[in-house]
Amino acid sequence: MASDAARALSSSDVEGYKRLLNEGTRIIQAASRPDQFEATYCALRDTLWSPPDWDYDEQYYASRTLRRKKNVKAVEQIPSLAEVFLFHQDGYVREAALQQLDTPLTAPASIYALFWRTNDWVPEVREAAHEALARVLPQTSADVIVPALKAALPRIASWGRWSQAGPEMITALAQRDDVASALVDDIIQSEGAALTVVFRELCKTPKVDPQLERIFRTAHQPHIRAMALQTLLSGKARWPLLQRRKVWIDKPSGRSRMELQFQSRDITVDTDVLGLLQRAVTDRASIVRKHALDGMIALRHDREMAHTLDALVAELEDDPNSGVRSRVAFFQRKRREENP
């Protein structure tokens, strides 16, 4: 009998689901910043799907099964409900919603929900999420994807249920031309947190190499300018792997720590090293000046640059930052020792 009732929605059911769609869409569209996406899930859960009571008796489970069938039927009959039902508590409903997605998504919160579902506790939902991403991402604009990527990247290292396909999908997406370009513009202009992990993700692709000097010269955040400078001076782009390695501090006593492992590649652009250093030593941020000195310490054996490096280092002898001054002292001491 319950199965028959679930086969067709009544007109009042349809009206109810349309109200649910309007309210859910309003909540999803209101979340435009990465820090708002998890609150979106809480708002949808608490407002739309909190059970009326917690008396888990036989009647409750029977009614829950009926509601599940009606919800699955609703998302099949009203496909636009799929984006709202991505946040549903019931795994069967989430899977049905994912299977309905085949058009471009318009809300960053929906893209983030798709990323999140690749780490869902239900294996069938994870599989459906990967299939949905393959269908909708090529059609979805970079403006919608980038905020979701920024929200997901700092969290994915702790997502323990997704397969290797997850990181590969994220990397491929970040390397899409329009997405990579939008990410570069964002890390230059943004004042928000978690930009380091976005920069490291971009380092995986040579497409970022022609933009590294622009990032160094114009990024608002000092640590991003410093990372771009370090990449240009070393000639290598580096990014952390998801796997960490154990490093022993004191093996007999069993003391150890877990350290990040890094992968690197050679960058594909030529660099005006002296021009970068001349700009870096005048940067207002001490972290950039420190990285400049680290680069000069590494280059101190270069005979062609020696005179210019000595002059640049001398400019920083009275720097107000102690870390800068200690590097200046180290550089000058090494130069005296190595060139008596």
Side-chain angles (χ1 to χ4, degrees), residues 136-156:
V136 305
L137 286 182
Q139 310 174 62
T140 301
S141 73
D143 291 341
V144 177
I145 291 171
V146 165
L149 264 181
K150 285 182 63 181
L153 283 171
R155 294 172 171 83
I156 57 179

Side-chain angles (χ1 to χ4, degrees), residues 224-332:
I224 296 298
R225 298 199 299 275
M227 292 169 70
L229 175 65
Q230 182 184 47
T231 302
L232 288 164
L233 292 179
S234 67
K236 288 189 176 294
R238 300 170 70 243
W239 60 92
L241 301 174
L242 291 178
Q243 301 81 12
R244 294 173 179 250
R245 64 173 182 171
K246 179 185 285 189
V247 176
W248 289 103
I249 300 171
D250 185 356
K251 200 166 187 178
S253 64
R255 294 173 57 212
S256 65
R257 67 173 181 268
M258 300 302 292
E259 286 189 350
L260 285 173
Q261 297 185 81
F262 284 84
Q263 190 168 338
S264 66
R265 63 171 180 83
D266 295 332
I267 62 174
T268 57
V269 293
D270 294 327
T271 302
D272 176 11
V273 172
L274 289 178
L276 291 173
L277 290 172
Q278 288 166 346
R279 173 66 177 262
V281 297
T282 62
D283 196 283
R284 63 187 182 275
S286 61
I287 188 174
V288 178
R289 301 195 299 275
K290 289 176 188 176
H291 277 72
L293 280 161
D294 290 339
M296 288 189 278
I297 289 169
L299 293 167
R300 68 183 186 274
H301 301 296
D302 191 308
R303 294 181 180 275
E304 294 182 2
M305 294 186 186
H307 179 72
T308 304
L309 293 181
D310 289 340
L312 289 173
V313 171
E315 292 180 23
L316 297 172
E317 286 179 347
D318 298 321
D319 193 276
N321 183 272
S322 61
V324 172
R325 295 196 305 273
S326 68
R327 285 168 170 80
V328 169
F330 179 85
F331 176 93
Q332 293 176 335

